[in-house]
Amino acid sequence: PRTPLTALSTIPPLNSLFLFHPHMGNCMGSAGGAGGGGGGNFPEEKSKVFMDITIDGGEAQRIVILLHGDKTPKTCANFKALCTGEKGFGFKGSSFHRIIPDFMAQGGDFTNGNGTGGKSIFGGKFEDENFLMTHTKRGILSMANSGPNTNGSQFFLCFRATPHLNGKHCVFGEVESGLEVLDALEAVGTDSGKPRATCKIEDCGALDD
């Protein structure tokens, strides 16, 4: 049998973004406080992005993600711009640094690669836009954070429903196609969260309808 997730509580805290798992407590520490949120108007419409992911240098596999900009326009604008790289930085070339089977895969730290970095397109952290959508199923896309109103660029994809995260993390999208890629990511996860293989976002961007 796999090592119980409660074993994670014995690992020294990481200076990483906060995600709470009911069987392991607060497994992550803080990545800093909130900075500038940034204002502006954002498209209130759904859109799609893609991520081409390789595992251990293998053939790229594509995930297509539906972003619910009609409900979370600011959060979706941030994620979409990080996919396109239009601000001069973003997800391309970064890796999923934390993968826990039966829980989630976390990525988006394109500056440090270990859960301590990343940044939003707004120049700092930004507020939790809302909690209208919830962590209901496999493939849900949600923001990782280090507490209330500390969103940057780190995100996670759920491997199952995680209702204990409702009201703590802003859900803003879901995998529309490529759930088999989640299977491949989950297969190289560990109870400690350190992947057994490099899971890299080789390419990413926006998709036209």
Tab-separated table of all heavy atoms in Angstrom, residues 47-83:
chain	number	residue	atom	x	y	z
A	47	SER	N	-13.233	31.195	-22.975
A	47	SER	CA	-12.199	31.035	-23.998
A	47	SER	C	-11.451	29.742	-23.728
A	47	SER	O	-11.671	29.090	-22.700
A	47	SER	CB	-11.236	32.232	-23.994
A	47	SER	OG	-10.591	32.354	-22.739
A	48	LYS	N	-10.556	29.387	-24.651
A	48	LYS	CA	-9.829	28.135	-24.514
A	48	LYS	C	-8.326	28.368	-24.670
A	48	LYS	O	-7.890	29.211	-25.455
A	48	LYS	CB	-10.290	27.115	-25.561
A	48	LYS	CG	-11.735	26.676	-25.407
A	48	LYS	CD	-12.130	25.699	-26.509
A	48	LYS	CE	-13.609	25.349	-26.430
A	48	LYS	NZ	-14.011	24.411	-27.517
A	49	VAL	N	-7.567	27.612	-23.903
A	49	VAL	CA	-6.114	27.606	-24.031
A	49	VAL	C	-5.643	26.159	-24.103
A	49	VAL	O	-6.397	25.235	-23.809
A	49	VAL	CB	-5.431	28.331	-22.847
A	49	VAL	CG1	-5.791	29.812	-22.832
A	49	VAL	CG2	-5.796	27.669	-21.515
A	50	PHE	N	-4.393	25.984	-24.511
A	50	PHE	CA	-3.836	24.639	-24.559
A	50	PHE	C	-2.494	24.606	-23.855
A	50	PHE	O	-1.803	25.620	-23.725
A	50	PHE	CB	-3.673	24.159	-26.006
A	50	PHE	CG	-2.561	24.851	-26.760
A	50	PHE	CD1	-1.264	24.323	-26.773
A	50	PHE	CD2	-2.788	26.033	-27.450
A	50	PHE	CE1	-0.237	24.954	-27.451
A	50	PHE	CE2	-1.762	26.674	-28.133
A	50	PHE	CZ	-0.483	26.137	-28.134
A	51	MET	N	-2.136	23.416	-23.412
A	51	MET	CA	-0.800	23.140	-22.898
A	51	MET	C	-0.329	21.828	-23.491
A	51	MET	O	-1.029	20.813	-23.391
A	51	MET	CB	-0.804	23.038	-21.366
A	51	MET	CG	-1.006	24.343	-20.648
A	51	MET	SD	-0.886	24.165	-18.842
A	51	MET	CE	-0.849	25.904	-18.360
A	52	ASP	N	0.842	21.863	-24.133
A	52	ASP	CA	1.472	20.653	-24.658
A	52	ASP	C	2.518	20.202	-23.639
A	52	ASP	O	3.507	20.906	-23.406
A	52	ASP	CB	2.120	20.921	-26.009
A	52	ASP	CG	1.091	21.163	-27.103
A	52	ASP	OD1	-0.064	20.719	-26.947
A	52	ASP	OD2	1.440	21.797	-28.111
A	53	ILE	N	2.290	19.056	-23.039
A	53	ILE	CA	3.076	18.607	-21.889
A	53	ILE	C	3.885	17.364	-22.249
A	53	ILE	O	3.364	16.431	-22.879
A	53	ILE	CB	2.135	18.307	-20.703
A	53	ILE	CG1	1.404	19.591	-20.283
A	53	ILE	CG2	2.903	17.720	-19.519
A	53	ILE	CD1	0.264	19.363	-19.307
A	54	THR	N	5.139	17.366	-21.862
A	54	THR	CA	5.975	16.182	-22.018
A	54	THR	C	6.309	15.609	-20.647
A	54	THR	O	6.422	16.349	-19.667
A	54	THR	CB	7.288	16.489	-22.758
A	54	THR	OG1	8.025	17.486	-22.026
A	54	THR	CG2	7.022	16.983	-24.163
A	55	ILE	N	6.450	14.307	-20.604
A	55	ILE	CA	6.842	13.623	-19.369
A	55	ILE	C	8.137	12.874	-19.638
A	55	ILE	O	8.192	12.017	-20.521
A	55	ILE	CB	5.736	12.668	-18.893
A	55	ILE	CG1	4.478	13.469	-18.564
A	55	ILE	CG2	6.196	11.867	-17.668
A	55	ILE	CD1	3.284	12.639	-18.162
A	56	ASP	N	9.170	13.268	-18.926
A	56	ASP	CA	10.507	12.683	-19.109
A	56	ASP	C	10.996	12.807	-20.544
A	56	ASP	O	11.626	11.884	-21.078
A	56	ASP	CB	10.511	11.215	-18.665
A	56	ASP	CG	11.456	10.985	-17.482
A	56	ASP	OD1	12.025	11.979	-16.978
A	56	ASP	OD2	11.625	9.823	-17.068
A	57	GLY	N	10.669	13.907	-21.185
A	57	GLY	CA	11.153	14.155	-22.531
A	57	GLY	C	10.456	13.381	-23.618
A	57	GLY	O	10.910	13.358	-24.770
A	58	GLY	N	9.343	12.765	-23.297
A	58	GLY	CA	8.604	11.983	-24.281
A	58	GLY	C	7.809	12.862	-25.232
A	58	GLY	O	7.964	14.087	-25.269
A	59	GLU	N	6.945	12.232	-25.989
A	59	GLU	CA	6.122	12.949	-26.959
A	59	GLU	C	5.151	13.874	-26.236
A	59	GLU	O	4.557	13.509	-25.218
A	59	GLU	CB	5.343	11.953	-27.821
A	59	GLU	CG	4.513	12.601	-28.917
A	59	GLU	CD	3.802	11.578	-29.784
A	59	GLU	OE1	4.044	10.358	-29.597
A	59	GLU	OE2	3.003	11.999	-30.646
A	60	ALA	N	4.986	15.083	-26.768
A	60	ALA	CA	4.086	16.060	-26.154
A	60	ALA	C	2.635	15.594	-26.261
A	60	ALA	O	2.209	15.063	-27.293
A	60	ALA	CB	4.257	17.414	-26.816
A	61	GLN	N	1.908	15.788	-25.188
A	61	GLN	CA	0.485	15.469	-25.135
A	61	GLN	C	-0.272	16.740	-24.774
A	61	GLN	O	0.153	17.495	-23.902
A	61	GLN	CB	0.221	14.396	-24.079
A	61	GLN	CG	1.030	13.131	-24.256
A	61	GLN	CD	0.800	12.167	-23.109
A	61	GLN	OE1	-0.258	11.551	-22.986
A	61	GLN	NE2	1.795	12.042	-22.239
A	62	ARG	N	-1.396	16.962	-25.425
A	62	ARG	CA	-2.102	18.233	-25.287
A	62	ARG	C	-3.288	18.161	-24.331
A	62	ARG	O	-4.113	17.252	-24.382
A	62	ARG	CB	-2.585	18.730	-26.645
A	62	ARG	CG	-3.428	20.010	-26.590
A	62	ARG	CD	-3.566	20.693	-27.930
A	62	ARG	NE	-2.274	21.261	-28.354
A	62	ARG	CZ	-2.149	22.133	-29.370
A	62	ARG	NH1	-3.224	22.517	-30.051
A	62	ARG	NH2	-0.959	22.599	-29.696
A	63	ILE	N	-3.353	19.178	-23.476
A	63	ILE	CA	-4.532	19.452	-22.655
A	63	ILE	C	-5.176	20.719	-23.190
A	63	ILE	O	-4.485	21.726	-23.423
A	63	ILE	CB	-4.155	19.653	-21.174
A	63	ILE	CG1	-3.735	18.337	-20.523
A	63	ILE	CG2	-5.316	20.250	-20.393
A	63	ILE	CD1	-3.317	18.483	-19.070
A	64	VAL	N	-6.472	20.676	-23.414
A	64	VAL	CA	-7.234	21.877	-23.774
A	64	VAL	C	-8.082	22.266	-22.570
A	64	VAL	O	-8.794	21.431	-21.997
A	64	VAL	CB	-8.136	21.635	-24.997
A	64	VAL	CG1	-9.023	22.851	-25.263
A	64	VAL	CG2	-7.287	21.322	-26.225
A	65	ILE	N	-7.968	23.518	-22.179
A	65	ILE	CA	-8.626	24.017	-20.975
A	65	ILE	C	-9.657	25.073	-21.343
A	65	ILE	O	-9.358	26.008	-22.097
A	65	ILE	CB	-7.597	24.617	-20.000
A	65	ILE	CG1	-6.616	23.532	-19.529
A	65	ILE	CG2	-8.284	25.270	-18.810
A	65	ILE	CD1	-5.444	24.070	-18.733
A	66	LEU	N	-10.851	24.915	-20.835
A	66	LEU	CA	-11.914	25.906	-20.985
A	66	LEU	C	-11.828	26.877	-19.811
A	66	LEU	O	-11.902	26.466	-18.653
A	66	LEU	CB	-13.279	25.227	-21.015
A	66	LEU	CG	-14.508	26.151	-21.068
A	66	LEU	CD1	-14.532	26.941	-22.369
A	66	LEU	CD2	-15.789	25.342	-20.894
A	67	LEU	N	-11.648	28.156	-20.121
A	67	LEU	CA	-11.577	29.195	-19.095
A	67	LEU	C	-12.927	29.878	-18.963
A	67	LEU	O	-13.512	30.330	-19.957
A	67	LEU	CB	-10.506	30.235	-19.461
A	67	LEU	CG	-9.072	29.726	-19.613
A	67	LEU	CD1	-8.152	30.863	-20.044
A	67	LEU	CD2	-8.583	29.093	-18.318
A	68	HIS	N	-13.413	29.982	-17.740
A	68	HIS	CA	-14.732	30.560	-17.489
A	68	HIS	C	-14.600	32.064	-17.226
A	68	HIS	O	-14.839	32.553	-16.121
A	68	HIS	CB	-15.391	29.852	-16.312
A	68	HIS	CG	-15.781	28.435	-16.603
A	68	HIS	ND1	-16.905	28.108	-17.320
A	68	HIS	CD2	-15.181	27.258	-16.290
A	68	HIS	CE1	-16.996	26.792	-17.440
A	68	HIS	NE2	-15.954	26.255	-16.825
A	69	GLY	N	-14.252	32.775	-18.293
A	69	GLY	CA	-14.128	34.225	-18.174
A	69	GLY	C	-15.440	34.930	-17.914
A	69	GLY	O	-15.452	36.098	-17.507
A	70	ASP	N	-16.548	34.229	-18.149
A	70	ASP	CA	-17.852	34.816	-17.835
A	70	ASP	C	-18.076	34.907	-16.332
A	70	ASP	O	-18.905	35.690	-15.871
A	70	ASP	CB	-18.972	34.003	-18.481
A	70	ASP	CG	-18.918	32.520	-18.119
A	70	ASP	OD1	-17.804	31.999	-17.872
A	70	ASP	OD2	-19.989	31.880	-18.096
A	71	LYS	N	-17.342	34.126	-15.574
A	71	LYS	CA	-17.484	34.135	-14.112
A	71	LYS	C	-16.257	34.701	-13.413
A	71	LYS	O	-16.384	35.310	-12.341
A	71	LYS	CB	-17.761	32.714	-13.598
A	71	LYS	CG	-19.103	32.134	-14.057
A	71	LYS	CD	-19.319	30.766	-13.454
A	71	LYS	CE	-20.708	30.215	-13.773
A	71	LYS	NZ	-20.873	29.928	-15.207
A	72	THR	N	-15.082	34.485	-13.988
A	72	THR	CA	-13.830	34.956	-13.364
A	72	THR	C	-12.967	35.646	-14.423
A	72	THR	O	-11.898	35.142	-14.788
A	72	THR	CB	-13.063	33.778	-12.733
A	72	THR	OG1	-12.917	32.729	-13.724
A	72	THR	CG2	-13.786	33.225	-11.521
A	73	PRO	N	-13.395	36.791	-14.923
A	73	PRO	CA	-12.683	37.422	-16.048
A	73	PRO	C	-11.241	37.823	-15.734
A	73	PRO	O	-10.361	37.656	-16.584
A	73	PRO	CB	-13.547	38.643	-16.373
A	73	PRO	CG	-14.369	38.894	-15.149
A	73	PRO	CD	-14.615	37.537	-14.558
A	74	LYS	N	-10.984	38.332	-14.554
A	74	LYS	CA	-9.625	38.779	-14.231
A	74	LYS	C	-8.669	37.598	-14.088
A	74	LYS	O	-7.552	37.614	-14.629
A	74	LYS	CB	-9.626	39.601	-12.941
A	74	LYS	CG	-8.260	40.161	-12.577
A	74	LYS	CD	-8.331	41.110	-11.399
A	74	LYS	CE	-6.968	41.725	-11.102
A	74	LYS	NZ	-7.031	42.746	-10.032
A	75	THR	N	-9.096	36.573	-13.378
A	75	THR	CA	-8.259	35.396	-13.184
A	75	THR	C	-7.978	34.712	-14.511
A	75	THR	O	-6.849	34.266	-14.769
A	75	THR	CB	-8.942	34.419	-12.205
A	75	THR	OG1	-9.281	35.123	-11.003
A	75	THR	CG2	-8.029	33.259	-11.865
A	76	CYS	N	-8.979	34.653	-15.374
A	76	CYS	CA	-8.806	34.030	-16.678
A	76	CYS	C	-7.889	34.857	-17.572
A	76	CYS	O	-7.076	34.306	-18.325
A	76	CYS	CB	-10.158	33.827	-17.352
A	76	CYS	SG	-11.166	32.533	-16.577
A	77	ALA	N	-8.003	36.195	-17.506
A	77	ALA	CA	-7.122	37.056	-18.297
A	77	ALA	C	-5.664	36.842	-17.904
A	77	ALA	O	-4.767	36.807	-18.762
A	77	ALA	CB	-7.524	38.514	-18.116
A	78	ASN	N	-5.415	36.693	-16.621
A	78	ASN	CA	-4.064	36.439	-16.131
A	78	ASN	C	-3.542	35.108	-16.679
A	78	ASN	O	-2.447	35.034	-17.251
A	78	ASN	CB	-4.082	36.411	-14.600
A	78	ASN	CG	-2.724	36.113	-13.992
A	78	ASN	OD1	-1.782	36.869	-14.148
A	78	ASN	ND2	-2.635	35.000	-13.276
A	79	PHE	N	-4.324	34.048	-16.526
A	79	PHE	CA	-3.895	32.722	-16.960
A	79	PHE	C	-3.689	32.674	-18.470
A	79	PHE	O	-2.689	32.117	-18.957
A	79	PHE	CB	-4.929	31.684	-16.529
A	79	PHE	CG	-4.480	30.262	-16.688
A	79	PHE	CD1	-3.726	29.647	-15.704
A	79	PHE	CD2	-4.821	29.527	-17.814
A	79	PHE	CE1	-3.307	28.328	-15.841
A	79	PHE	CE2	-4.415	28.209	-17.959
A	79	PHE	CZ	-3.657	27.617	-16.970
A	80	LYS	N	-4.605	33.264	-19.209
A	80	LYS	CA	-4.515	33.237	-20.670
A	80	LYS	C	-3.264	33.966	-21.147
A	80	LYS	O	-2.543	33.477	-22.028
A	80	LYS	CB	-5.767	33.861	-21.284
A	80	LYS	CG	-5.860	33.709	-22.789
A	80	LYS	CD	-7.210	34.197	-23.296
A	80	LYS	CE	-7.364	33.957	-24.792
A	80	LYS	NZ	-8.699	34.407	-25.271
A	81	ALA	N	-2.972	35.133	-20.564
A	81	ALA	CA	-1.777	35.884	-20.954
A	81	ALA	C	-0.504	35.127	-20.603
A	81	ALA	O	0.502	35.211	-21.326
A	81	ALA	CB	-1.784	37.258	-20.282
A	82	LEU	N	-0.527	34.371	-19.511
A	82	LEU	CA	0.639	33.562	-19.145
A	82	LEU	C	0.793	32.371	-20.087
A	82	LEU	O	1.909	31.872	-20.278
A	82	LEU	CB	0.524	33.095	-17.695
A	82	LEU	CG	0.618	34.215	-16.646
A	82	LEU	CD1	0.313	33.674	-15.256
A	82	LEU	CD2	1.994	34.881	-16.669
A	83	CYS	N	-0.304	31.925	-20.679
A	83	CYS	CA	-0.226	30.871	-21.693
A	83	CYS	C	0.328	31.407	-23.012
A	83	CYS	O	1.130	30.745	-23.670
A	83	CYS	CB	-1.606	30.251	-21.924
A	83	CYS	SG	-2.155	29.104	-20.642
